[in-house]
Amino acid sequence: MDIFEVLSAIIKRKTAFMHSGINEKEALIKAELDISKEYHIPLFDIKKIVRA
């Protein structure tokens, strides 16, 4: 899985959370955590990718 696939997965998950009524900031945090767990990528690395 490359960086673009990880970012795409995060964006899709964030959008799904936002449609369920969660604000954008909280949705991003939850999406990062979910993708980190699902793909076994350290959360620190996920945050570095998203913030870059």
Side-chain angles (χ1 to χ4, degrees):
M1 175 167 261
D2 67 3
I3 292 173
F4 298 109
E5 291 171 333
V6 171
L7 286 172
S8 177
I10 292 169
I11 290 169
K12 287 178 185 175
R13 190 72 50 95
K14 176 184 144 191
T15 303
F17 283 133
M18 288 174 59
H19 285 295
S20 71
I22 297 173
N23 71 39
E24 186 175 358
K25 185 176 180 179
E26 288 180 32
L28 178 60
I29 292 168
K30 286 184 176 223
E32 290 172 343
L33 186 59
D34 281 359
I35 297 302
S36 173
K37 288 180 182 177
E38 185 174 332
Y39 293 108
H40 306 289
I41 302 170
L43 187 57
F44 178 74
D45 291 340
I46 295 278
K47 290 189 179 291
K48 284 190 341 189
I49 292 170
V50 171
R51 307 297 189 259

